[in-house]
Amino acid sequence: MSGADPRPGAAQAVPVLELRGLTKRFGGLAAVNDVSFAIREGGISGLIGPNGAGKTTIFNLITGVYKVSAGSILFKGSPITDLEPYRIADLGVTRTFQNIRLFKNLSARDNVLTACHMSARYGLAEAILRLPRYRREEKALAVKADGLLEIMGLADRADLTANNLPYGLQRRLEITRALALDPTLLLLDEPAAGMNPDETEQLMLLISDIRKRFGLSVLVIEHHMDLIMGVCEHIHVLNFGCSLADGDPAVVAGDPKVVEAYLGQEDER
Amino acid sequence: MEYIQGIIILIGINLIAVLGLSILTGFTGLFSFGHGGFMAIGAYVCAIFVARLHQPFALAILAGALSAGLVSVVIGRLTLKLKGDYFCIATMGFGEAVRIILNNVNYVGGARGWESLPKLTTVWLTLALDLVFVVVTWNIINSRQGRNMVAAREEELAAQMAGIDVFKSKMIALVISAVFAGVAGALMAQYMQFLRPTMFNMTKSTDLTIMVIFGGLGSISGSILGTILLVSLPELFRDFAQWRLVFYGLAVIVIMVGRPQGLMGGLELTPSGIRRAVAARSARRELAAADKAEAAE
């Protein structure tokens, strides 16, 4: 699709996201140091590592919140390294936050409706004069928002202010809002944080379900190992800003370096 | 009758400026203490078109509004990247700068003021324009551009992650508010029949902002209510001479303490707005009851 390679079937070879030698320095500290990995189209990948390994920093780099110090980020084969955050979102990369960031004083419906804005094309003058295109597109946006809320099981809470939703549903609403952009790549930053095992299980099912339903690729940061091992097809492990391991869940879990990073070195006396 | 009409015109003129500021402050979350400056630009440009260039009033209003809008684009480019309080301080500086520049332009009367302008602003013109501006404001807020502004107010980072160009949204809000203030200034010039730079000092700017906050941030009906109450209140207490300003201050304090979100904070006095508020309240109750039941188990 990107036109990089005209051969049929080649599109599948281009990873949806590729990091090449990605580095981010804060002063003298390299929070992310020469990290390279790729995400296959349509898969669920995991990004794991101990606290402070640089996982969220990588999300901030991909989404343009931080400026990259060195290296590059390719989305469907073309660089997005120096784009403004909203442009990256427009291209189809969006995310949720570790500490939920909803539009707190808006209703659940308005949270989703706001994020649907890219599906409408009418200009401000058309809105002020309420021209036919405004009416038509607003109606379509409302249908889209309500549909998403329905799919995500939030329809009966659509009129509640986001702030008044229970914690689990706030996380769910944040994912719903992200889906409103019709993203190609969804980045989930610790979606199961603060959830009990039961809710985590539900979330796992939800993630696999939306991946299939919306045909997107997902990259998830998570500490719940059962969630990561349960849903991810591919895992990348970070430690102190550097890549530590990369591969299938089973391979990664058995990697002595990974075990060491998480549990500490075995005492060899 | 003349007196009542005068108050209605004053309310109507202020309402236009307050509606614009409501978009900027109430819906986009940017506090300005310099909109007196945009009013001044609208007022003086309008007066120049009417009194010096002998152009029709409608054209003069348009010129005043556009001038204020153009200046706001420049101001926005310079200040909208500033965060929170810094933007507020920059607007304050802008308002004062406009006043001091006008003090020194003798073409428009300088600090002494500019007298005997023609009286062209009528009560019907003011009310008609009010109606237009209320509808325009309502339509802006209920569009995707309006929702983007609210998103920028609520959670800037999340707004960007939702593909919203936050800078552009803030810019649109600022330009709209400046154009509204320009129109209000134009009407003011041709109602008062004299202009003096001190009419648009920081007190004027803060008055406008107080009306928005008093009525409730993020509510158009609140802004209307706030303007009507706060413009007429000092007039009602006119017999108490200097005490009226105390009453004015007291009213503002009582609202801020008793109802910090303002009279209408985030709610609208429309059938659907009321329905939504009621639905949200009952849903909240149900949720609280469900939580309690769960806790009891």
Side-chain angles (χ1 to χ4, degrees):
Chain A
M1 289 264 266
S2 64
D5 198 327
R7 277 172 300 159
Q12 269 154 341
V14 178
V16 63
L17 183 80
E18 191 179 355
L19 310 185
R20 286 190 191 154
L22 194 64
T23 300
K24 175 67 187 176
R25 285 182 215 95
F26 294 106
L29 178 83
V32 174
N33 194 4
D34 196 21
V35 170
S36 303
F37 66 90
I39 296 173
R40 275 191 310 257
E41 180 131 28
I44 300 183
S45 309
L47 185 60
I48 65 170
N51 287 327
K55 306 180 294 290
T56 299
T57 306
I58 287 190
F59 270 25
N60 283 333
L61 290 169
I62 297 171
T63 51
V65 177
Y66 292 160
K67 290 284 159 254
V68 170
S69 303
S72 58
I73 303 163
L74 301 166
F75 175 61
K76 292 199 271 188
S78 47
I80 55 168
T81 316
D82 291 318
L83 294 183
E84 291 272 331
Y86 76 91
R87 285 212 177 282
I88 295 171
D90 285 351
L91 286 174
V93 183
T94 191
R95 69 181 286 187
T96 64
F97 293 89
Q98 193 174 346
N99 45 343
I100 308 172
R101 286 176 187 267
L102 288 167
F103 306 135
K104 293 194 195 73
N105 298 311
L106 302 190
S107 67
R109 178 183 286 111
D110 283 346
N111 264 275
V112 180
L113 195 59
T114 301
C116 286
H117 72 115
M118 289 310 298
S119 314
R121 284 274 155 259
Y122 65 80
L124 192 58
E126 286 171 285
I128 290 173
L129 299 172
R130 297 260 158 140
L131 293 184
R133 183 153 78 145
Y134 164 86
R135 290 164 195 273
R136 189 162 18 95
E137 293 189 341
E138 272 298 300
K139 220 172 272 172
L141 289 189
V143 169
K144 181 179 177 181
D146 284 339
L148 279 169
L149 287 164
E150 183 74 50
I151 290 170
M152 299 292 281
L154 287 164
D156 52 336
R157 308 287 174 88
D159 285 319
L160 270 187
T161 308
N163 230 359
N164 292 329
L165 286 173
Y167 182 80
L169 291 188
Q170 289 195 13
R171 287 235 169 255
R172 201 174 265 248
L173 178 59
E174 210 190 12
I175 297 175
T176 314
R177 185 181 65 187
L179 291 173
L181 273 91
D182 302 320
T184 313
L185 174 64
L186 178 60
L187 309 176
L188 299 172
D189 196 347
E190 296 201 26
M195 286 188 175
N196 62 34
D198 206 36
E199 289 169 320
T200 307
E201 167 102 35
Q202 270 188 22
L203 185 75
M204 271 169 58
L205 294 173
L206 182 71
I207 293 174
S208 344
D209 182 49
I210 56 179
R211 191 271 303 256
K212 264 179 247 144
R213 193 191 280 263
F214 296 94
L216 20 99
S217 316
V218 179
L219 177 62
V220 53
I221 293 179
E222 198 41 78
H223 281 301
H224 285 62
M225 275 308 150
D226 34 353
L227 185 133
I228 284 285
M229 296 301 165
V231 302
C232 293
E233 290 133 24
H234 191 93
I235 290 177
H236 191 86
V237 190
L238 288 176
N239 195 22
F240 295 118
C242 301
S243 298
L244 195 66
D246 189 275
D248 294 342
V251 176
V252 167
D255 192 319
K257 278 188 295 184
V258 176
V259 176
E260 188 189 315
Y262 269 91
L263 302 175
Q265 200 168 4
E266 206 173 331
D267 204 349
E268 295 175 25
R269 229 176 325 161
Chain B
M1 200 55 215
E2 184 93 341
Y3 174 60
I4 299 287
Q5 265 195 10
I7 295 176
I8 292 174
I9 290 179
L10 269 185
I11 291 173
I13 291 173
N14 277 290
L15 179 58
I16 295 174
V18 170
L19 283 172
L21 207 54
S22 184
I23 292 176
L24 183 72
T25 304
F27 289 95
T28 317
L30 292 168
F31 282 81
S32 161
F33 289 106
H35 266 55
F38 293 119
M39 266 185 97
I41 293 172
Y44 276 89
V45 170
C46 176
I48 289 171
F49 266 69
V50 168
R52 295 252 194 264
L53 307 176
H54 307 291
Q55 296 296 318
F57 190 30
L59 185 70
I61 296 176
L62 201 66
L66 287 180
S67 313
L70 279 179
V71 173
S72 76
V73 172
V74 178
I75 296 295
R77 284 230 166 274
L78 295 173
T79 61
L80 278 177
K81 297 258 170 177
L82 298 174
K83 296 262 179 245
D85 302 344
Y86 294 103
F87 173 78
C88 182
I89 292 166
T91 56
M92 198 186 285
F94 160 74
E96 288 299 279
V98 170
R99 186 174 64 81
I100 288 163
I101 290 170
L102 287 172
N103 267 342
N104 293 290
V105 180
N106 286 325
Y107 180 66
V108 294
R112 275 180 300 111
W114 186 359
E115 280 172 36
S116 57
L117 296 166
K119 182 163 186 169
L120 300 171
T121 304
T122 62
V123 70
W124 295 114
L125 174 70
T126 311
L127 289 178
L129 283 177
D130 279 344
L131 191 64
V132 169
F133 279 94
V134 167
V135 171
V136 166
T137 307
W138 178 263
N139 287 357
I140 290 171
I141 292 310
N142 288 292
S143 70
R144 67 189 180 105
Q145 287 85 354
R147 287 192 296 268
N148 288 358
M149 291 171 195
V150 176
R153 173 194 77 191
E154 286 289 307
E155 187 60 72
E156 195 167 328
L157 193 58
Q160 285 181 324
M161 295 301 118
I164 293 168
D165 185 346
V166 170
F167 178 77
K168 189 175 150 201
S169 286
K170 288 179 176 176
M171 185 63 118
I172 294 173
L174 178 65
V175 172
I176 289 170
S177 70
V179 167
F180 281 30
V183 172
L187 293 176
M188 187 74 99
Q190 259 49 56
Y191 166 66
M192 291 292 199
Q193 296 173 268
F194 74 92
L195 285 176
R196 197 173 291 156
T198 46
M199 284 164 64
F200 307 102
N201 59 8
M202 217 174 76
T203 314
K204 181 70 213 169
S205 300
T206 42
D207 271 355
L208 295 174
T209 303
I210 287 172
M211 286 176 208
V212 175
I213 299 173
F214 185 92
L217 294 177
S219 167
I220 297 171
S221 30
S223 293
I224 298 171
L225 260 159
T227 311
I228 294 173
L229 286 175
L230 289 188
V231 175
S232 52
L233 210 59
E235 299 300 330
L236 285 179
F237 295 109
R238 195 169 272 283
D239 295 340
F240 298 92
Q242 64 267 60
W243 280 99
R244 64 204 184 101
L245 287 178
V246 176
F247 281 117
Y248 177 90
L250 208 62
V252 172
I253 291 171
V254 165
I255 279 288
M256 289 300 107
V257 171
R259 216 178 139 71
Q261 69 273 47
L263 281 178
M264 296 293 300
L267 302 174
E268 293 293 357
L269 268 181
T270 59
S272 71
I274 293 166
R275 219 178 309 129
R276 205 171 306 150
V278 171
R281 175 167 291 205
S282 62
R284 244 194 335 266
R285 281 228 190 89
E286 259 170 50
L287 209 66
D291 280 351
K292 213 175 278 172
E294 210 167 281
E297 272 175 34

